[in-house]
Amino acid sequence: MKALIFKNKDSMPALGLGTWKSAPGEVYKAVKIAIKTGYRHIDCAPVYGNEKEVGKALSECIAEGIVTREELWITSKLWNNAHAEEAVIPALKQTLSDLRISYLDLFLIHWPVALKKDIMFPQSGKDMISLHDLPLTETWKGMEEAVDQGLARHIGVSNFGIHNLTKILNAARIRPEVNQVECHPYLQQEELFAFCRNNNVFLTAYSPLGSPDRPDGIKAKDEPLLLEDKIINEIAKVRKASTAQILISWALQRGTSVIPKSVHAGRIAENLKADEIRLSESEMTQISKLDKDYRYVSGSFWVFEGGPYTLEGLWS
């Protein structure tokens, strides 16, 4: 499998299993199936509400001798209500307890958005803290401490545009090594991808299939359906592959890591086989022309009248 190699020679499998939207009761089986199928990269987050189930699956796979901890790459994230420097390590320790592991391979700031400590999801701007009052650089000090304590081997960010990523890069003692963002042919993120490459930051693509199963509350009316795209489907037909496999292969060939989610054994195996597909230069060019700069996860749920966040501030 393709891998992204870090400065210290650690190797992150480029294709991983996403667990966002994996329902309780389903994610445990999905993780066990994925590891038995050959996945070694599992992407998690406490806000997904399923890390305890993921941890049960991980611990059983290790105990059964299917895989060793050292062979796995486990990513998780810091939720928005733990951005205070002193809150980072306690939040990480809870994640490690839930996942039944002693360290993360990769620990990410989930969003460049800060919430008050008892708030999981804001109901108004009053539930939020501005980045002026709680700068990302303060949160980053807590992330660096996670590395110092051996609780995380690598640290990075998620949903960061160039402006917010630059803030961290300019102040970091330990530089971010990954930025996990929405990325697919309708949102190719060329400028951000180039910026990350130039600063030795790997890009991980979430929602690579267009996230058709995300909650209705964050769907737009008449949004374009990536899995129904004519060009993608034509390439899939020629290749005798699924549309999902073409989308995953495209992400891998660009040099990003990619974390498609599924809880179905057949699709989990099918997605993994996308690593075997090599798209031609012509096919890659065809797909490159599909960019619509369209976000399925717009971030609008962080924007409140009178609140401290705007979409421009998030993504600029």
Side-chain angles (χ1 to χ4, degrees), residues 169-210:
L169 288 166
N170 287 343
R173 173 171 58 87
I174 302 172
R175 288 166 67 88
E177 294 183 279
V178 174
N179 187 13
Q180 184 180 124
V181 296
E182 180 182 348
C183 194
H184 43 70
Y186 286 175
L187 183 69
Q188 298 188 20
Q189 301 269 31
E190 286 289 354
E191 184 181 6
L192 178 61
F193 190 20
F195 178 85
C196 287
R197 269 198 311 266
N198 291 337
N199 286 278
N200 298 309
V201 177
F202 290 126
L203 198 73
T204 293
Y206 75 72
S207 297
L209 311 182

Side-chain angles (χ1 to χ4, degrees), residues 132-194:
H132 174 77
D133 293 329
L134 182 49
L136 292 168
T137 50
E138 292 302 304
T139 309
W140 193 253
K141 290 176 185 177
M143 302 292 286
E144 292 172 327
E145 180 63 24
V147 177
D148 294 339
Q149 292 190 24
L151 301 176
R153 297 209 169 163
H154 302 273
I155 50 178
V157 298
S158 178
N159 296 299
F160 273 52
I162 291 173
H163 176 67
N164 284 321
L165 182 52
T166 299
K167 291 179 185 178
I168 302 292
L169 288 166
N170 287 343
R173 173 171 58 87
I174 302 172
R175 288 166 67 88
E177 294 183 279
V178 174
N179 187 13
Q180 184 180 124
V181 296
E182 180 182 348
C183 194
H184 43 70
Y186 286 175
L187 183 69
Q188 298 188 20
Q189 301 269 31
E190 286 289 354
E191 184 181 6
L192 178 61
F193 190 20

Side-chain angles (χ1 to χ4, degrees), residues 179-254:
N179 187 13
Q180 184 180 124
V181 296
E182 180 182 348
C183 194
H184 43 70
Y186 286 175
L187 183 69
Q188 298 188 20
Q189 301 269 31
E190 286 289 354
E191 184 181 6
L192 178 61
F193 190 20
F195 178 85
C196 287
R197 269 198 311 266
N198 291 337
N199 286 278
N200 298 309
V201 177
F202 290 126
L203 198 73
T204 293
Y206 75 72
S207 297
L209 311 182
S211 197
D213 60 344
R214 72 194 190 287
D216 289 340
I218 59 172
K219 287 184 177 179
K221 293 180 179 179
D222 302 320
E223 63 185 19
L225 299 177
L226 182 59
L227 286 168
E228 295 181 8
D229 184 86
K230 181 180 177 182
I231 297 297
I232 300 295
N233 277 274
E234 286 175 354
I235 294 171
K237 186 176 180 180
V238 169
R239 289 282 181 167
K240 295 182 171 56
S242 70
T243 51
Q245 285 178 318
I246 300 303
L247 293 167
I248 295 165
S249 176
W250 173 81
L252 293 171
Q253 284 186 228
R254 290 181 86 208

Side-chain angles (χ1 to χ4, degrees), residues 28-29 58 67 92 102 118 124 140 171 196 244 261 275 282 285:
Y28 161 77
K29 291 180 181 178
L58 295 177
V67 70
L92 173 53
S102 61
D118 297 323
S124 73
W140 193 253
C196 287
K261 166 261 176 183
D275 183 55
S282 172
T285 298

Side-chain angles (χ1 to χ4, degrees), residues 1 5 18 56 74 101 106 109 115 118 164 170 172 185 210 220 223 242 248 251 254 257 260 288:
M1 178 182 290
I5 310 300
K56 183 173 186 287
I74 309 299
I101 54 178
L106 178 62
I109 299 177
L115 304 177
D118 297 323
N164 284 321
N170 287 343
E223 63 185 19
S242 70
I248 295 165
R254 290 181 86 208
S257 59
S288 73

Side-chain angles (χ1 to χ4, degrees), residues 33-198:
I33 289 167
I35 291 173
K36 288 178 180 178
T37 302
Y39 286 76
R40 294 295 178 262
H41 175 178
I42 310 295
D43 182 83
C44 314
V47 76
Y48 301 164
N50 56 20
E51 285 196 325
K52 287 185 177 180
E53 278 195 40
V54 173
K56 183 173 186 287
L58 295 177
S59 65
E60 288 182 7
C61 285
I62 292 169
E64 292 165 16
I66 298 167
V67 70
T68 65
R69 171 65 186 95
E70 292 71 26
E71 291 170 329
L72 291 170
W73 182 280
I74 309 299
T75 296
S76 190
K77 307 175 188 80
L78 179 77
W79 190 235
N80 306 359
N81 59 3
H83 273 216
E85 181 182 350
E86 66 276 9
V88 174
I89 297 299
L92 173 53
K93 286 182 175 179
Q94 183 61 57
T95 274
L96 293 174
S97 175
D98 289 344
L99 291 174
R100 305 189 192 187
I101 54 178
S102 61
Y103 67 90
L104 290 176
D105 297 278
L106 178 62
F107 187 35
L108 307 175
I109 299 177
H110 204 146
W111 285 89
V113 170
L115 304 177
K116 293 181 178 178
K117 65 179 182 179
D118 297 323
I119 302 296
M120 281 298 290
F121 297 100
Q123 301 301 310
S124 73
K126 294 179 180 179
D127 294 332
M128 313 181 91
I129 305 172
S130 76
L131 296 183
H132 174 77
D133 293 329
L134 182 49
L136 292 168
T137 50
E138 292 302 304
T139 309
W140 193 253
K141 290 176 185 177
M143 302 292 286
E144 292 172 327
E145 180 63 24
V147 177
D148 294 339
Q149 292 190 24
L151 301 176
R153 297 209 169 163
H154 302 273
I155 50 178
V157 298
S158 178
N159 296 299
F160 273 52
I162 291 173
H163 176 67
N164 284 321
L165 182 52
T166 299
K167 291 179 185 178
I168 302 292
L169 288 166
N170 287 343
R173 173 171 58 87
I174 302 172
R175 288 166 67 88
E177 294 183 279
V178 174
N179 187 13
Q180 184 180 124
V181 296
E182 180 182 348
C183 194
H184 43 70
Y186 286 175
L187 183 69
Q188 298 188 20
Q189 301 269 31
E190 286 289 354
E191 184 181 6
L192 178 61
F193 190 20
F195 178 85
C196 287
R197 269 198 311 266
N198 291 337

